Structures are given as C-alpha cells and as structure tokens.
C-alpha cells in the first residue's frame, strides 16, 4: 500500500525539484538542439505526471468525506456501491426498535385494561358504597386483598 506523503515531505520534494530544474536550466545553453528538445519533452511529461498525482490526492481526500444536506458524512473504504444493502442493514435496528415499542405499548395497554377490569369487577360484585372507590388507596387495597384471597 502506498503511503500518502505529508505536507512537509511534499514541500521538501518540491524544493529539491526546483533546485535540480534550476541547475539543469543553467547548462541548457551548451547542449545541442536535439538534446534540449528531448529534455523539454521529458520535463513536460514529469510535470503532467506530478499534476495527475496531486489531483489524485485531492480527489482521494475529497472522496473520504461528502456533504449530504447539512451533514458531513465520512466515507470508509469500499463506500462506493451497495447503497440499497446499506439501507436495508441500517433499517434493521430501526425496525427492531419500532417493533419493541409497539410490543411495549400493547403490554402497557393490557396492564391498564386489567386494572380497570379489576376495579369494575369489584364495584359490581361488592357491597361497598361508590365513595369508597374514589379513595386513592382503594386500588392498592383491592390488589392486596385479591393476592390474599388467592393464597
């Protein structure tokens, strides 16, 4: 795997390249025309290759993060493609959470319904006055008396 050079390394490499270019340009006047043309073509190829490397580095850095709406999303290796698989896999925990909330809500509704049924049953079968049922401790009394009657 090729390591990404740091900014300091790139600056040092550029400095060395400039000094070499300067030295070569100084001696260019003493060379025949054919050699100077070959050197010029080689320089142009080297510069275009360097530009491609720099643009590839910028493209790689730009592809590691993308903006979606008002959110910056970091893309990991292999983040291209497989979008619908990722959507399905990402939806599984959300669906599990929704299913859990539905089960919890139905259980709580059932518990509340059972308490109301107990109070209604006690009201219809007992000889207590209706004012007794408005007492806050009456439901607790019914629960304890029902538990004692079962034992």
């Amino acid at each position: 795997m090729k390591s990404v050079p740091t900014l300091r390394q790139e600056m040092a490499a550029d400095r060395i390249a400039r000094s070499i270019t300067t030295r070569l340009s100084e001696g260019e006047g003493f060379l025949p025309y054919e050699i100077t043309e070959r050197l010029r073509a080689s320089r142009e190829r080297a510069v275009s290759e360097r530009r491609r490397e720099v643009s590839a580095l910028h493209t790689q850095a730009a592809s590691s993060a993308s903006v979606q709406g008002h959110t910056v999303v970091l893309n990991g290796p292999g983040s291209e493609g497989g979008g619908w698989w990722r959507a399905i896999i990402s939806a599984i925990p959300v669906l599990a959470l929704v299913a859990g909330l539905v089960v919890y809500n139905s259980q709580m509704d059932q518990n509340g319904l059972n308490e109301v049924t107990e109070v209604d049953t006690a009201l219809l079968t007992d000889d207590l006055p209706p004012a007794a049922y408005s007492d806050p401790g009456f439901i607790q009394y019914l629960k304890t008396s029902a538990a004692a009657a079962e034992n």
Side-chain angles (χ1 to χ4, degrees), residues 46-99:
V47 168
S48 67
E49 181 65 31
R50 176 67 178 158
R51 285 185 183 141
R52 268 189 257 133
E53 288 177 4
V54 169
S55 67
L57 284 175
H58 289 296
T59 303
Q60 181 182 8
S63 68
S64 65
S66 61
V67 177
Q68 296 178 356
H70 295 292
T71 306
V72 174
V73 178
L74 297 177
N75 301 325
S79 63
E80 301 83 23
W84 62 277
W85 275 109
R86 286 176 190 246
I88 290 173
I89 291 171
S90 298
I92 290 173
V94 174
L95 292 174
L97 177 66
V98 169

Side-chain angles (χ1 to χ4, degrees), residues 37-50:
E37 281 302 306
R38 285 178 32 206
L39 287 173
R40 183 188 58 77
S42 296
R43 263 191 238 128
E44 287 177 2
R45 273 197 317 263
V47 168
S48 67
E49 181 65 31
R50 176 67 178 158

